[in-house]
Amino acid sequence: MEAQHGNATETVSAVQDATRDEQVLFEPGRLAAPSDGGDGPWSIWSLKQKKIIILAASFASLLSLLSGQIYFPALDTIAKDLHVTDSLVNLSITTYVIIQAIAPTFTAQSSDTAGRRPLYMVCFILYMAANIGLGAQNNYAALLVLRCFQSLGSSGTAALSNAVAADITTSAKHGSYVSYAAAIPMLGPTLGPIIGGLLAQYVAWHSVFWFLWALTGAVAIPMAIFFPETCREIVGDGSIPPPKWNRCYTNVQRERNALKQGKKVPYDKRNELAKSRHIRFPNPFGTIMLLLHRECGFALLYSAILCCSFYATLRGRLLDSNFRRHAKRLGISPENNRQADLADFPIERARLEVVLPTIILGSACIVGFGWTLQYKKNLAGPLILLFVIAFCVSALLNCVACLMLDLYPGKAGTVTASNNLLRCLLGPDATAIVVPMINGIGIGWAVTIFAFLNVAALPLLWYIMKQGPRWRAETLQKKSEKEDAGGRR
């Protein structure tokens, strides 16, 4: 094994010297800065500014989960008012989830080349228009179609927050900032049913959509004015002025201040990046193909399995602490605002080691939760266990999100969409089969089966930690050989 590790290290070193062009930076084996890199800071934004940017993206991501949850309490009222069956109203939930799985495949992938801001603005406009239509209509067909557009707009924003986090932070801080990005959306499952229930009961079910419209305006207007473009293929570390469609007041003010102080504004770099950037219609197969990569697919598969009991809390500081521990062991100094070349770094272990104990604990609590409900002893037991489950299950979700951002630094939006796609495809399946399982074998055994699947699939994580560095080295070697062959021709 030591010999294999040595060979992998030599391979990576050779490839690093031979392949310095921009395309290598988008290979999963490359854990380095994008093309604007160098010895300078990773991002010009201060610590406070980074947190504000991430929290703004997190607020935008809230719309997707909130839109799904706030709708549930109004289902009976909608069915009665529109004179349709409960099954037909439930179909509007199914279509919403389907679009929720597919939409980020296009929006997040487009944001990797067109930029984050234009995609945010398009999603906001589409979402607000859909909510206006939903609030004004009284027809089932209109409800079904407009819910699809609502999902298209809201789920598009959900896939962008992790991409923004990857744009402005290094691998050493991905854990904390991904947690910031995931924090506010988790209010959706908590507050959604409460708000939806109150509005449906005391106002009218149409008011649910007017509330979402007003909330989106409260988020979209400040972001339209102040939220800067962060995509590194457009603005680099943030110092390169963005094109017209990617500009906001923050960018304009920064340019004006620089010109007043007699500083050079790098318009030439903006033009160079524009020439090298090719904006194409997003290819959904690109997102799907990422799932077939060993570096990506196994981790996302386990995340999707665990996501059948999806919850989330903060877990970022422990992730960053484990990253620093491995860096210290290898003699690497992980500066907060400088992105190191991590080709020799065991990034898989640094991200996934953290989650192993909590998966075992969380699975045990899931079993306990099922059986306390089975015997109906006391409500306090299930509630306490749910709290622990939420903490434990969230650990893997954030860890996998961080690992994907580390492995694909130039495709943050696309890989986030891949993660969303797989989870949304498996999640509804689990929801569909759990009720028949409970009716057939009882809730205790049904939940125990899901917990067993979590533990039985754990070897996937061990396999990733063991083989990940070798996979990355092989990917770089194949890329180098392909380029050498092309050069000889």
Side-chain angles (χ1 to χ4, degrees), residues 50-121:
K50 289 178 182 177
K51 289 182 178 180
I52 293 174
I53 290 171
I54 294 296
L55 288 176
S58 186
F59 266 109
S61 299
L62 170 66
L63 300 176
S64 182
L65 287 174
L66 185 63
S67 298
Q69 300 294 327
I70 201 173
Y71 183 68
F72 292 152
L75 291 178
D76 290 339
T77 307
I78 291 174
K80 292 177 182 178
D81 282 2
L82 300 184
H83 307 290
V84 295
T85 64
D86 292 339
S87 298
L88 286 176
V89 174
N90 288 336
L91 184 60
S92 66
I93 300 175
T94 304
T95 54
Y96 183 93
V97 173
I98 292 173
I99 300 298
Q100 191 178 43
I102 297 173
T105 301
F106 295 91
T107 56
Q109 189 178 137
S110 297
S111 75
D112 286 336
T113 52
R116 316 300 182 201
R117 267 187 60 85
L119 269 297
Y120 267 123
M121 297 305 111

Side-chain angles (χ1 to χ4, degrees), residues 24-236:
V24 175
L25 301 169
F26 297 97
E27 294 299 314
R30 178 74 172 184
L31 303 180
S35 55
D36 57 277
D39 297 327
W42 179 255
S43 175
I44 63 170
W45 305 109
S46 67
L47 180 62
K48 181 179 179 180
Q49 289 170 331
K50 289 178 182 177
K51 289 182 178 180
I52 293 174
I53 290 171
I54 294 296
L55 288 176
S58 186
F59 266 109
S61 299
L62 170 66
L63 300 176
S64 182
L65 287 174
L66 185 63
S67 298
Q69 300 294 327
I70 201 173
Y71 183 68
F72 292 152
L75 291 178
D76 290 339
T77 307
I78 291 174
K80 292 177 182 178
D81 282 2
L82 300 184
H83 307 290
V84 295
T85 64
D86 292 339
S87 298
L88 286 176
V89 174
N90 288 336
L91 184 60
S92 66
I93 300 175
T94 304
T95 54
Y96 183 93
V97 173
I98 292 173
I99 300 298
Q100 191 178 43
I102 297 173
T105 301
F106 295 91
T107 56
Q109 189 178 137
S110 297
S111 75
D112 286 336
T113 52
R116 316 300 182 201
R117 267 187 60 85
L119 269 297
Y120 267 123
M121 297 305 111
V122 169
C123 289
F124 284 143
I125 292 172
L126 183 61
Y127 183 71
M128 294 182 73
N131 279 306
I132 292 174
L134 286 165
Q137 58 77 40
N138 285 288
N139 179 271
Y140 173 74
L143 174 74
L144 201 63
V145 172
L146 289 170
R147 278 283 288 177
C148 291
F149 282 102
Q150 186 193 43
S151 180
L152 184 63
S154 63
S155 58
T157 63
L160 295 175
S161 59
N162 282 349
V164 170
D167 290 336
I168 63 176
T169 63
T170 64
S171 295
K173 299 297 291 181
H174 275 172
S176 294
Y177 283 90
V178 167
S179 295
Y180 294 148
I184 295 176
M186 292 308 104
L187 293 174
T190 304
L191 299 179
I194 298 174
I195 298 172
L198 291 174
L199 290 174
Q201 181 175 354
Y202 294 106
V203 188
W205 62 267
H206 293 88
S207 64
V208 168
F209 303 112
W210 291 116
F211 171 82
L212 292 174
W213 174 81
L215 178 64
T216 307
V219 175
I221 293 174
M223 287 187 67
I225 299 172
F226 299 109
F227 190 82
E229 179 59 66
T230 63
C231 181
R232 300 186 71 84
E233 291 304 302
I234 295 177
V235 297

Side-chain angles (χ1 to χ4, degrees), residues 355-367 388-389 391-392:
V355 80
L356 296 179
T358 52
I359 290 176
I360 301 297
L361 175 61
S363 299
C365 290
I366 289 174
V367 173
V388 180
I389 292 168
F391 174 79
C392 294

Side-chain angles (χ1 to χ4, degrees), residues 274-287:
K275 290 179 181 178
S276 63
R277 191 170 59 250
H278 302 288
I279 301 176
R280 302 183 182 91
F281 186 79
N283 178 11
F285 293 103
T287 300

